[in-house]
Amino acid sequence: MSSSRRLFFALPLPDALQQQVIRWRADAFTPEAGRPVAAANLHLTLAFLGDVTPQKALALTRLAGRIVQPGFSLRLDDLGHWPRPGVVWLGTRRAPRGLLQLAELLRSQAARSGCYQSPMPFHPHITLLRAATQPVAIPPATPGWTFSVEAFSLYQSVFENGRTRYHPLEQWPLAQQETR
């Protein structure tokens, strides 16, 4: 049995925002639109690492712990559907520089550590529905939630009892934003 784990770096959503998104999603989409992602699994992936050995995971967590970057605000105000992978997503029209920098740092470190990184540009999003392979009626507007990003996390993806669950393993704070 392999001791590797399926890992990724991501931004967790605040609990209150998770619940708001879940309520909104239930009202905005029909059950036929796709399979809802569990509230506890809602996140914004920064860098997918894949199956990682304990040694590589340790090296990546040490590198992540060295990141010094200020926190930032993130506005969720975009919505879309990718039919081929069957995903309905919630995202941002204008990704803040802090988000793009953090993702680039983590993706670069992952690539240098031997974790494959997609050549596709980073598209910050939260997966709302899976198995959405048929046309989906996308609501014309999202509520436009804004939240402060004060930390990023390392998650493990675990498939058990027919379900995928994401378990946070470690979290690193971002530096406090300066107010002037």
Side-chain angles (χ1 to χ4, degrees):
M1 176 124 189
S2 170
S3 62
S4 67
R5 299 183 292 176
R6 194 167 184 80
L7 303 177
F8 60 94
F9 288 108
L11 298 179
L13 293 185
D15 292 341
L17 178 56
Q18 273 184 358
Q19 295 310 309
Q20 290 173 18
V21 169
I22 294 300
R23 283 191 298 275
W24 172 80
R25 179 182 66 190
D27 292 338
F29 296 97
T30 65
E32 298 79 30
R35 188 177 70 249
V37 173
N41 282 357
L42 293 176
H43 67 278
L44 190 150
T45 300
L46 297 166
F48 181 72
L49 306 175
D51 291 323
V52 177
T53 64
Q55 297 83 2
K56 191 178 288 187
L58 180 60
L60 287 163
T61 58
R62 286 182 179 153
L63 289 169
R66 293 185 192 147
I67 292 175
V68 177
Q69 181 177 316
F72 51 89
S73 289
L74 180 59
R75 182 164 174 79
L76 300 174
D77 59 359
D78 198 13
L79 192 62
H81 176 221
W82 294 322
R84 191 168 184 178
V87 168
V88 173
W89 53 266
L90 176 65
T92 182
R93 292 173 202 255
R94 287 192 173 153
R97 184 183 324 173
L99 171 62
L100 299 175
Q101 288 173 335
L102 181 58
E104 179 57 31
L105 278 169
L106 291 167
R107 289 171 58 130
S108 295
Q109 290 176 350
R112 283 193 299 275
S113 297
C115 298
Y116 171 80
Q117 296 299 295
S118 170
M120 299 295 291
F122 175 64
H123 186 276
H125 69 281
I126 296 158
T127 300
L128 297 175
L129 301 171
R130 293 195 182 281
T133 55
Q134 301 302 313
V136 174
I138 299 294
T142 63
W145 295 286
T146 300
F147 67 103
S148 295
V149 177
E150 300 168 353
F152 67 99
S153 300
L154 177 67
Y155 287 85
Q156 179 179 4
S157 176
V158 177
F159 184 77
E160 56 192 7
N161 301 324
R163 294 182 177 209
T164 300
R165 296 286 181 228
Y166 302 141
H167 301 288
L169 301 176
E170 284 196 55
Q171 186 173 68
W172 296 271
L174 297 173
Q176 295 296 315
Q177 296 182 43
E178 289 184 28
T179 55
R180 293 182 187 205

